[in-house]
Amino acid sequence: QKEVEQDPGPLSVPEGAIVSLNCTYSNSAFQYFMWYRQYSRKGPELLMYTYSSGNKEDGRFTAQVDKSSKYISLFIRDSQPSDSATYLCAMRGENNNNDMRFGAGTRLTVKP
Amino acid sequence: DARVTQTPRHKVTEMGQEVTMRCQPILGHNTVFWYRQTMMQGLELLAYFRNRAPLDDSGMPKDRFSAEMPDATLATLKIQPSEPRDSAVYFCASGLAAGGRVPNEQFFGPGTRLTVL
């Protein structure tokens, strides 16, 4: 079993829909939870991050972390065709060593 | 506009040939990562450097892969001999061990798309 599980999709939604992307993990030492967005034929870019549990909102994007369930989510409101990309969750522990783990990525298409 | 650059962007080669991929990290960054991305395995860490010293290369097949940082502005990933199963997109990322929005935030390059026939 991988440390970070993410449904690869693909996920296809109409424009304006609310999108929910999720990851589960097994390592309770993870403290930083990140979402990367990767457009086709580009490198991943950090979209949002959350430290420990709780919610964080940035425009149409909301990241949620539930450490008790080892479950994180990214919500996209009023989805746009420009949101079409692969979304990768990533997480790491408190220390500064390289213990970051990525999910497989969920491929999202928002249709006009 | 600071960004990680990678060359070549695309590489097609035949099995058995040597492949060298290059990465120029963002100026001032002291950590460099090499990843491999495939549909089946997702993003896999191959090697991690801090201050040019290799700290973790456990994800790299040692018999054919090697990673080096000849200087602070250049990181290389070499495959010799290459095999069809090495076909993937190889990403380089750089960061600041003590900085970024997230500690050691990683900034990715555009990747090298490798096809081994």
Side-chain angles (χ1 to χ4, degrees):
Chain A
Q1 185 186 5
K2 291 185 177 180
E3 276 189 288
V4 180
E5 298 279 0
Q6 182 177 12
D7 186 340
L11 182 61
S12 182
V13 301
E15 183 175 353
I18 296 175
V19 176
S20 173
L21 304 167
N22 312 291
C23 289
T24 59
Y25 64 95
S26 57
N27 189 341
S28 57
F30 289 144
Q31 289 282 17
Y32 290 94
F33 302 91
M34 291 150 278
W35 287 96
Y36 280 79
R37 179 172 59 195
Q38 184 178 18
Y39 290 115
S40 181
R41 297 187 178 270
K42 302 282 188 184
E45 290 179 292
L46 182 63
L47 180 63
M48 292 184 70
Y49 78 95
T50 308
Y51 176 74
S52 193
S53 280
N55 296 355
K56 190 170 188 176
E57 191 172 317
D58 183 1
R60 296 184 294 108
F61 298 86
T62 299
Q64 286 186 351
V65 174
D66 181 351
K67 291 190 72 179
S68 62
S69 303
K70 295 190 178 68
Y71 187 87
I72 72 170
S73 302
L74 177 70
F75 298 97
I76 308 174
R77 290 185 301 280
D78 186 25
S79 56
Q80 302 295 309
S82 58
D83 296 329
S84 299
T86 297
Y87 291 81
L88 300 97
C89 63
M91 45 200 80
R92 56 169 293 166
E94 186 73 65
N95 62 38
N96 207 16
N97 295 326
N98 180 48
D99 58 352
M100 190 138 93
R101 298 290 180 263
F102 283 87
T106 300
R107 190 169 177 182
L108 170 69
T109 300
V110 181
K111 296 187 174 180
Chain B
D1 182 25
R3 56 181 69 185
V4 176
T5 58
Q6 290 186 247
T7 57
R9 292 295 311 277
H10 302 272
K11 177 72 176 179
V12 180
T13 191
E14 292 188 345
M15 182 173 63
Q17 296 299 304
E18 177 178 302
V19 175
T20 299
M21 291 169 271
R22 293 177 175 80
C23 166
Q24 182 172 9
I26 292 173
L27 189 65
H29 282 185
N30 63 347
T31 59
V32 171
F33 306 80
W34 281 105
Y35 289 91
R36 174 172 61 187
Q37 187 176 44
T38 61
M39 290 289 290
M40 293 297 294
Q41 299 296 328
L43 206 57
E44 301 175 279
L45 178 69
L46 298 175
Y48 167 49
F49 289 79
R50 183 186 292 181
N51 297 324
R52 296 177 54 202
L55 291 193
D56 183 3
D57 61 1
S58 58
M60 200 164 65
K62 303 290 192 306
D63 56 339
R64 299 183 300 108
F65 284 62
S66 61
E68 295 180 346
M69 280 201 74
D71 61 60
T73 64
L74 177 65
T76 62
L77 179 67
K78 193 172 294 187
I79 308 174
Q80 167 63 19
S82 58
E83 297 181 3
R85 60 179 167 151
D86 300 329
S87 297
V89 182
Y90 290 81
F91 287 103
C92 174
S94 72
L96 269 174
R101 290 173 288 173
V102 179
N104 212 4
E105 177 182 350
Q106 299 181 26
F107 296 81
F108 284 79
T112 294
R113 186 172 294 269
L114 174 66
T115 303
V116 183
L117 302 174

